[in-house]
Amino acid sequence: MNNKITSIGIILFLFFTSIANVFAQDQKQEYYELKTYTIKNEAQEKRVDDYLEKAYLPALKRMGFGNIGVFKIRPGKFVKADKIFVLIPFSSMDEFAKMEASLAVDKTHLAAGEDYITATHDNPPYERISSTLMRAFSKMPKMKPSPVASPRKDRVYELRSYESPTEAFYINKVSMFNEGEEVELFESLDANAVFYGEVLSGDRMPNLMYMTTYENMEKRDALWKAFVASDKWQELIGEEKYKNNVNKADIWLLYPTDYSDY
């Protein structure tokens, strides 16, 4: 029992040390903010689209940010397409911390986004915004904008969130991607991963998130079939040390907007 408690203590120490290291200097991994707008109708969708396309993204690009992805939920039977996802990469936490202050004094941004920024309490442009802050996995420290070049309406950008039952199991799942070479498995199958991220702050912790991309649904379905059948995946799920490290998976099948960078 004492050995088990000691092991858990070490794992928790490593977890909180990892969080603390976010604020250290010269981190090689990028950071990502995933902003999720929840909307209730087409009027709100248009107002958010207009703001993002004409004010928000241009302002971020004037600050030097690039590779900003904007995605919507692919239509389908029983699918509620009520969200717009915005993925922003940062080279440091300092960039993330300064972004909002810079937006607040950008006169071009304020003018172009006036309808959104000055919306009244009884006619808001969205229902709610959620924000998730992540740090890139060590095995893929930089974002790779998707090379997929099929028509945007056909593309599939698959965003996944894997929740773990405890912090210790979460660290184990991250290790499965990094040391266990789950990242390499995706690469070997040409999954066109955009990012893999450790969630540092969000509403579903402890969890990780990642995004893979495909030309169309047929390519997506074929890849996942090959993934599940692969020797490497069968080896990983057969290892006792990786048992029970995910207890919930959320999956969003998305497509990029016309004004998304990729």
Side-chain angles (χ1 to χ4, degrees), residues 63-262:
M63 295 178 206
F65 296 112
N67 297 329
I68 303 166
V70 185
F71 313 98
K72 295 183 180 181
I73 297 173
R74 289 174 56 85
K77 192 174 183 180
F78 307 123
V79 175
K80 188 175 183 180
D82 65 342
K83 289 179 172 50
I84 299 174
F85 299 85
V86 183
L87 181 63
I88 309 167
F90 302 91
S91 63
S92 68
M93 284 294 292
D94 188 55
E95 281 191 346
F96 170 75
K98 291 178 177 178
M99 181 182 69
E100 291 297 333
S102 297
L103 286 170
V105 296
D106 184 324
K107 293 181 179 179
T108 303
H109 164 254
L110 298 176
E114 182 178 7
D115 174 69
Y116 172 99
I117 295 167
T118 63
T120 58
H121 74 280
D122 56 351
N123 187 26
Y126 52 81
E127 293 295 281
R128 193 57 44 195
I129 302 173
S130 65
S131 175
T132 301
L133 181 63
M134 297 172 276
R135 180 176 58 181
F137 281 12
S138 60
K139 268 295 175 72
M140 186 174 164
K142 306 293 183 184
M143 175 182 284
K144 295 180 182 177
S146 177
V148 172
S150 55
R152 293 192 176 219
K153 65 180 177 61
D154 295 333
R155 298 180 202 175
V156 181
Y157 285 53
E158 184 163 357
L159 178 65
R160 290 191 170 216
S161 170
Y162 289 166
E163 297 175 23
S164 298
T166 68
E167 290 96 328
F169 281 107
Y170 161 75
I171 292 171
N172 180 269
K173 183 57 183 176
V174 173
S175 175
M176 190 174 177
F177 272 92
N178 288 323
E179 288 75 32
E181 300 184 350
E182 192 170 344
V183 168
E184 283 87 345
L185 174 55
F186 275 113
E187 288 181 352
S188 72
L189 296 172
D190 295 326
N192 300 311
V194 174
F195 79 94
Y196 299 93
E198 305 172 41
V199 174
L200 305 176
S201 179
D203 63 352
R204 307 300 300 177
M205 297 177 72
N207 69 309
L208 62 86
M209 299 186 78
Y210 68 99
M211 178 182 280
T212 52
T213 62
Y214 314 94
E215 292 180 2
N216 50 48
M217 280 298 296
E218 290 75 19
K219 294 278 189 179
R220 180 262 180 192
D221 292 345
L223 182 138
W224 277 107
K225 184 177 180 180
F227 181 97
V228 172
S230 68
D231 292 340
K232 180 61 178 179
W233 180 243
Q234 294 303 316
E235 174 190 330
L236 284 173
I237 61 174
E239 292 193 40
E240 190 62 33
K241 66 180 178 180
Y242 292 135
K243 298 291 187 183
N244 304 311
N245 57 15
V246 173
N247 63 340
K248 187 176 188 297
D250 286 318
I251 302 170
W252 296 273
L253 299 179
L254 313 174
Y255 69 93
T257 65
D258 290 339
Y259 57 91
S260 178
D261 281 345
Y262 51 89

Side-chain angles (χ1 to χ4, degrees), residues 21-79:
N21 284 340
V22 168
F23 301 98
Q25 296 297 314
D26 300 323
Q27 292 285 327
K28 70 175 184 177
Q29 288 113 310
E30 289 182 326
Y31 297 89
Y32 309 118
E33 183 186 20
L34 180 68
K35 296 182 71 171
T36 305
Y37 291 81
T38 300
I39 53 177
K40 67 178 180 179
N41 53 39
E42 291 181 355
Q44 284 193 339
E45 180 182 20
K46 185 178 186 310
R47 292 177 78 187
V48 173
D49 273 332
D50 285 346
Y51 170 67
L52 293 175
E53 180 179 10
K54 299 172 184 176
Y56 190 68
L57 267 66
L60 294 185
K61 291 178 180 180
R62 286 194 294 275
M63 295 178 206
F65 296 112
N67 297 329
I68 303 166
V70 185
F71 313 98
K72 295 183 180 181
I73 297 173
R74 289 174 56 85
K77 192 174 183 180
F78 307 123
V79 175

